[in-house]
């Protein structure tokens, strides 16, 4: 075979891996790769305006399509700008392959211009990372990177490419198979363990399913719904697991955890069998550990052995892909006698339904989300959130079902994820309605992506829940810090420090800002303006422009219920 | 489950690649696992290194350590040495300084008793080499510390291998 450069081999590899979208930002160490992609002109390259936005976009692209998200950035600052996005993807098990440029081998270690040890920096926040030291390893390493990213518990893989390795001529062969001695992910469940779990399910008086993000990642929703309907066992989900079963399903209780529904948290407290699938039992969902599900035996299905019995001691551990395990379970499960248990739960549901304290004639987060549910009822849609109160409101009130998916940074809680995430989701799903929900804080963390969205003609609907504060932090300050609103007022600055009144203008004026990029902007201040604004945004989609809707909200709105940090699930602050 | 803290040993086969050692030790520091000692060297297969890891932990944490190691792509095999018969040794050098003549004579007797080698000596100092279990080496340090004014210790960390017949720890 003719010898080819590393750059050429990379492009060949991308083609063979079926990469049709590449998120890239150039620099000296990757300009040759950019050039090769240009010459071969086969893939769509998206140029976000910041590498952090780039990796979030690739992440949401991957989450929403099930494909591997691919990033290409330069060495040094290009690579370090990936860090937050890699950690975000790692925590939420998102398959990414990130190519970073690196200085030539003879310069590595010399403090060369734009040299950083990115593999070292990201070691603890990637599934795997490697610098390609020899040209002859390049093909194998790329092949392995894609394989590692998407198999087992998916995650981000970083491949660092020294410029001279990429220039060197070598074999043009791209391997067809992978064989990694230390990496043999198993997906099939141990049948004996599954049977033990089923036996326990049959004996339980108050069984409860807990679905985490693993159900969504494995695309096990359909199977899971079937299992729930056969067994008649009620379901709670984590935020990442939201949508594992349609949220209007009669057996769905709600989210559990810090901002979970009252009935869900009570049900966890009272259940005698917690049958959990694809969750890490993160502290945000367990509350005080030793008071978590105190009366329950616990079954845990997870693809990652290290997630089992880490926080919560498990009685029946099952290492498996969620879909494979549930499909196997479907062959054996039977209806459980849950009538009495469901009655108890419905009492809790009626006692404290999820509801904001309604204020007459004043627009609240709940109203906005209910309007979204209504206006976009028939749309295939993806809702991408940022992080903060608006995220919790969305996870409480957004209806998630076969038509609707919710993407959110659950594990790391990354502000700035929402907008670029929406960009990536829309690119991967051109026919879906993509709605971003962000706070005025988070929106400003990646606001430059208007350029990408406008130029790529993405008909996004961007909702900014503007409460003029870093709302979620303010909520803690209000509840636990004597209302000392330190560092959370987004409109204060020098004038406030001088004791002057707050500047009355919008900071920024999101509507004008959207318009300055060539997007549409709408401001909503009253409840009756909500639906028309969404209708307008829906129409604007035909114009292939993004529409930003800024909702002016009351800073006093709080997310309830709330479990105090370190408290037990059953001790909720209700309003 | 046994939740008492105790010493536990892992033998680890890993890819012989740059960065693997720091990834393994980085896991221990990032997750706040105790790392008593870690030794590493290549095996009969130059692409594979073998590590001996000693940790002080409870059973639950230890299970996590093994799982976390197992899920690393570079880790080929994790063997729990805690409950199986193994031969384990540690190389240790001790330099005893400010010795009198009597001290030196005493040190030669000590060397004989502890099967140590005298590797070097001068006017007022003496260099001993011990190869024992880490436990015994620790005891020797304690003893020499109490008997002599100044000692300097270098330990190599434990290496271990499955025993053929005789367990020795
Ligand atoms: C990158 C990053 N920095 C800081 C935080 C801590 N944090 C969590 S929520 C929040 C406030 C978010 O405010 P905003 O975006 O206005 O949304 P709101 O809570 O008001 O809905 C902050 C600062 C974070 N999660 N991510």
């Amino acid at each position: 075979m003719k010898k080819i450069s590393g750059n050429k081999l990379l492009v060949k590899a991308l083609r063979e891996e079926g990469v049709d979208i590449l998120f890239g930002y150039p620099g000296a160490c990757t300009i040759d790769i950019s050039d090769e992609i240009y010459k071969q002109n086969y893939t769509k390259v998206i140029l976000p305006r910041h590498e952090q936005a780039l990796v979030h976009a690739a992440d949401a692209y991957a989450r929403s399509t099930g494909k591997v998200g691919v990033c290409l950035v330069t060495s040094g600052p290009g690579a370090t700008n990936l860090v937050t996005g890699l950690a975000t993807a790692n925590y939420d098990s998102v398959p990414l392959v990130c190519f970073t440029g690196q200085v030539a081998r003879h310069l590595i270690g010399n403090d060369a211009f734009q040299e950083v040890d990115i593999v070292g920096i990201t070691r603890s926040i990637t599934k795997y990372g490697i610098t390609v030291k020899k040209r002859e390893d390049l093909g194998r390493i790329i092949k392995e990177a894609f394989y590692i990213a998407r198999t087992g518990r998916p995650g981000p893989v970083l491949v660092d490419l020294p410029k001279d390795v990429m220039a060197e001529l070598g074999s043009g062969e791209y391997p067809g198979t992978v064989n990694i001695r230390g990496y043999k992910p198993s997906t099939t469940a141990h049948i004996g363990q599954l049977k033990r779990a089923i036996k326990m399910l049959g004996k339980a008086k108050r069984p409860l399913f807990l679905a985490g993000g693993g159900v969504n990642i494995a695309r096990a929703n359909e199977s899971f719904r079937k299992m729930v309907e056969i067994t008649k066992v009620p379901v709670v989900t984590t935020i990442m697991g939201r949508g594992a079963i349609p949220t209007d399903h009669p057996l769905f209780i709600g989210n559990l955890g810090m901002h979970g529904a009252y009935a869900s948290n009570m049900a966890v407290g009272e259940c005698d069998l917690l049958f959990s699938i694809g969750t890490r039992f993160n502290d945000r969902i367990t509350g005080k550990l030793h008071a978590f599900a105190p009366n329950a035996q616990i079954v845990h299905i997870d693809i990652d052995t290290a997630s089992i019995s880490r926080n919560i001691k498990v009685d029946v551990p099952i290492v498996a892909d969620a879909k494979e395990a549930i499909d196997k379970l479907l062959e054996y499960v039977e209806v459980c006698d849950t009538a009495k248990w469901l009655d108890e739960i419905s009492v809790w549901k009626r006692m404290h339904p999820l509801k904001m304290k309604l204020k007459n004639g004043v627009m609240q987060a709940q109203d906005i989300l209910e309007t979204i549910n209504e206006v976009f009822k028939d749309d295939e849609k993806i809702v991408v959130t940022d992080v903060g109160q608006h995220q919790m409101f969305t996870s409480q009130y957004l209806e998630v079902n076969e038509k609707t998916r919710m993407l959110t940074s659950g594990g790391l809680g990354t502000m700035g994820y929402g907008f670029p995430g929406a960009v990536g989701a829309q690119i991967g799903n051109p026919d879906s309605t993509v709605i971003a929900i962000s706070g005025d804080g988070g929106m400003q963390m990646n606001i430059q992506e208007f350029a990408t969205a406008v130029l790529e003609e993405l008909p996004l609907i961007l909702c900014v829940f503007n409460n003029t504060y870093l709302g979620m932090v303010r909520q803690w300050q209000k509840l636990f810090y004597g209302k000392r609103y330190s560092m959370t007022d987004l409109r204060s600055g020098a004038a406030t420090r001088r004791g002057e009144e707050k500047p009355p203008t919008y900071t920024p004026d999101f509507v004008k800002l959207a318009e300055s990029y060539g997007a549409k902007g709408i401001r909503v201040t009253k409840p009756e303006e909500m639906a028309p604004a969404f209708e307008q945004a829906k129409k604007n989609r035909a114009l292939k422009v993004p529409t930003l809707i800024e909702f002016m909200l009351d800073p006093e709105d709080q997310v309830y219920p709330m479990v105090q940090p370190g408290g037990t699930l059953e001790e909720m602050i209700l309003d | 489950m046994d939740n008492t803290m105790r010493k536990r040993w892992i033998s680890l086969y890993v890819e012989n690649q740059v960065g693997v050692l720091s990834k393994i030790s980085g896991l221990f520091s990032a997750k706040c696992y105790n790392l008593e000692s870690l030794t590493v060297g290549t095996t009969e297969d130059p692409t594979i290194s073998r590590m001996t890891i000693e940790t002080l932990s409870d059973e639950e944490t230890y299970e996590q350590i093994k799982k976390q190691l197992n899920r690393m792509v570079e880790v080929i095999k994790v063997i729990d040495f805690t409950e199986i018969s193994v031969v384990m040794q540690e190389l240790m050098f001790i330099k005893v300084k400010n010795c009198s003549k009597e001290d030196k004579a005493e040190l030669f007797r000590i060397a004989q008793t502890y099967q140590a080698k005298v590797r070097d000596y001068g006017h007022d100092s003496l260099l001993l080499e011990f190869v024992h279990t880490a436990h015994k080496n620790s005891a020797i340090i304690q003893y020499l510390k109490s008997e002599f004014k100044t000692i300097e210790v270098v330990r190599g960390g434990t290496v271990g291998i499955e025993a053929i017949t005789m367990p020795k720890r």
Side-chain angles (χ1 to χ4, degrees), chain A residues 386-391 412-415 438-443 445 465 467 469-473 490:
Chain A
D386 218 87
V387 170
Q389 288 180 317
H390 61 277
Q391 176 192 31
L412 196 69
T414 309
M415 277 174 78
S438 192
D440 44 332
M443 188 68 187
M445 283 206 173
F465 285 24
N467 52 12
Y469 275 89
L470 294 170
M472 185 54 100
V473 183
L490 288 171

Side-chain angles (χ1 to χ4, degrees), chain A residues 35-262:
Chain A
D35 190 49
E36 197 55 51
I37 290 172
Y38 184 90
K39 283 195 283 196
Q40 298 199 28
N41 185 31
Y42 88 97
T43 188
K44 193 157 133 190
V45 178
I46 305 290
L47 174 73
R49 294 302 187 263
H50 188 299
E51 286 92 349
Q52 186 196 352
L54 180 152
V55 60
H56 289 330
D59 163 312
Y61 170 87
R63 290 189 207 219
S64 61
T65 60
K67 298 183 199 164
V68 176
V70 182
C71 302
L72 171 66
V73 303
T74 193
S75 67
T80 52
N81 271 349
L82 290 185
V83 169
T84 304
L86 288 171
T88 305
N90 194 47
Y91 222 135
D92 290 342
S93 309
V94 180
L96 293 182
V97 172
C98 297
F99 296 103
T100 50
Q102 182 55 278
V103 300
R105 278 168 295 184
H106 69 277
L107 292 172
I108 294 181
N110 289 1
D111 290 350
F113 177 65
Q114 297 196 329
E115 179 206 350
V116 297
D117 171 19
I118 193 64
V119 171
I121 290 172
T122 58
R123 198 159 273 145
S124 64
I125 52 168
T126 50
K127 186 169 173 187
Y128 182 65
I130 188 166
T131 302
V132 183
K133 293 275 176 57
K134 291 194 217 110
R135 169 63 183 81
E136 66 255 37
D137 292 340
L138 180 66
R140 175 182 56 79
I141 288 175
I142 299 173
K143 184 81 200 171
E144 289 176 355
F146 277 91
Y147 178 74
I148 293 167
R150 68 171 169 254
T151 52
R153 175 179 171 177
V157 174
L158 189 140
V159 181
D160 195 35
L161 305 169
K163 194 170 159 111
D164 61 324
V165 172
M166 298 307 284
E168 202 174 304
L169 297 180
S171 160
E173 201 115 27
Y174 185 62
T177 54
V178 178
N179 182 15
I180 309 167
R181 295 187 272 211
Y183 182 74
K184 304 262 186 269
S186 70
T187 54
T188 41
H190 188 277
I191 202 76
Q193 291 292 81
L194 285 180
K195 286 191 172 155
R196 263 182 76 199
I198 289 168
K199 217 175 189 174
M200 283 160 77
L201 201 56
K203 280 199 197 132
K205 297 266 178 300
R206 297 163 150 190
L208 186 65
F209 281 125
L210 162 56
V215 176
N216 288 327
I217 292 171
R219 300 261 187 297
N221 312 50
E222 190 54 34
S223 308
F224 181 62
R225 188 179 50 74
K226 271 191 208 148
M227 181 165 75
V228 171
E229 284 171 358
I230 293 171
T231 56
K232 301 263 186 301
V233 169
V235 183
V236 296
T237 59
T238 67
I239 288 177
M240 297 307 290
R242 197 164 172 87
I245 183 167
T247 49
D248 59 358
H249 197 283
L251 286 163
F252 177 63
I253 310 176
N255 298 340
L256 83 158
M258 181 174 272
H259 294 291
Y262 176 81

Side-chain angles (χ1 to χ4, degrees), chain A residues 65 76 146 212 236 258 274 278 281 290 295 326 342 363 449 459 479 493:
Chain A
T65 60
F146 277 91
V236 296
M258 181 174 272
L274 190 64
F281 294 104
H290 57 259
N295 308 311
I326 297 171
L342 291 173
M363 174 176 56
E449 291 313 305
L479 294 174

Side-chain angles (χ1 to χ4, degrees), chain B residues 27-51:
Chain B
L27 172 80
F28 280 78
S29 60
K31 305 247 176 211
C32 277
Y33 301 144
N34 165 286
L35 183 60
E36 292 277 300
S37 88
L38 191 166
T39 53
V40 58
T42 46
T43 61
E44 66 283 1
D45 176 346
T47 67
I48 296 178
S49 295
R50 194 158 166 180
M51 298 187 184

Side-chain angles (χ1 to χ4, degrees), chain A residues 14 41 69 79 95 106 114 130 194 210 244 251 268 300 326 333 350 376 394 417 495 507 520 537 544 563 570:
Chain A
L14 294 177
N41 185 31
H106 69 277
Q114 297 196 329
I130 188 166
L194 285 180
L210 162 56
L251 286 163
V268 172
H300 188 188
I326 297 171
V333 284
R350 263 178 282 127
F376 299 97
T394 307
Y417 178 81
T507 312
K520 304 277 181 199
K544 298 194 166 172
V563 174
E570 285 160 270

